[in-house]
Amino acid sequence: MSVKVKDFFFFLVLSVIGLNAQKTDSKHLDSITYQELWSIYTGPTNEYIERYAKYHFEKAKKEKDTYQLATSYRMRAFWEEMPVAMKLLDTALYFAKKVPKQQMHIHNNALAEVYYTKGAILLPMIKISQLPKHLLRVGIMQKRVMIRI
């Protein structure tokens, strides 16, 4: 056999192995639930953003699940730089508002999660001295209420 034929067969074998691995991986991804994706996201590694973020988005888009679309954008925002994170959160907010109001608890939860995430990302950038006085009073009032409870 010539070198070209050997190279061709070697390439063919590697291609078949690669395609077979992709099929196995996509079957594995199809069986992952949103709860499992959340567990991976909150896990100790960056595996979610490296491997599962795109899949989470694709699955939610395929199932037309607006809550999960909002969640996928919101979860990706924590891994991005500020301007990109804010765009992702604005998109998440758009999808959160599209959650059917018949599912009021999910609708409200989606909105609260996005607003909370936006605040969590922005807050470290704001100095307390920059906050308007009325917001400082609200914070003091909340502390008083929490102490009474």
Side-chain angles (χ1 to χ4, degrees):
M1 265 201 241
S2 72
V3 174
K4 288 183 180 181
V5 173
K6 286 181 183 178
D7 288 344
F8 173 74
F9 281 120
F10 180 71
F11 176 75
L12 184 65
V13 168
L14 286 179
S15 297
V16 169
I17 291 171
L19 288 173
N20 204 13
Q22 281 182 338
K23 286 180 185 177
T24 305
D25 195 41
S26 73
K27 285 180 186 175
H28 168 70
L29 289 175
D30 289 340
S31 66
I32 293 178
T33 65
Y34 290 119
Q35 186 62 37
E36 290 170 326
L37 285 169
W38 179 253
S39 297
I40 293 166
Y41 177 74
T42 57
T45 65
N46 293 343
E47 189 177 16
Y48 175 83
I49 201 66
E50 292 168 357
R51 184 168 177 200
Y52 294 103
K54 185 176 180 182
Y55 170 71
H56 189 172
F57 171 76
E58 300 276 331
K59 180 176 180 168
K61 187 176 177 183
K62 184 172 130 184
E63 294 176 1
K64 297 180 180 168
D65 187 337
T66 52
Y67 174 70
Q68 288 299 330
L69 275 169
T71 301
S72 71
Y73 277 105
R74 185 179 67 83
M75 290 163 66
R76 285 177 38 209
F78 278 111
W79 299 91
E80 298 294 338
E81 295 294 321
M82 180 59 68
V84 176
M86 288 298 115
K87 287 179 184 176
L88 287 170
L89 288 171
D90 287 341
T91 305
L93 190 58
Y94 170 80
F95 284 114
K97 289 178 179 178
K98 295 277 185 187
V99 172
K101 292 196 170 134
Q102 293 84 1
Q103 302 171 321
M104 189 55 81
H105 65 287
I106 295 174
H107 176 79
N108 291 340
N109 195 30
L111 289 172
E113 287 173 351
V114 174
Y115 282 125
Y116 176 83
T117 304
K118 213 168 196 181
I121 289 175
L122 285 173
L123 190 60
M125 298 180 62
I126 300 172
K127 295 180 182 174
I128 297 295
S129 60
Q130 292 176 330
L131 290 174
K133 288 184 182 181
H134 71 280
L135 288 180
L136 289 174
R137 284 193 296 264
V138 168
I140 292 168
M141 195 60 132
Q142 286 175 344
K143 287 179 186 175
R144 287 182 188 161
V145 170
M146 289 176 72
I147 292 170
R148 287 184 190 162
I149 296 173

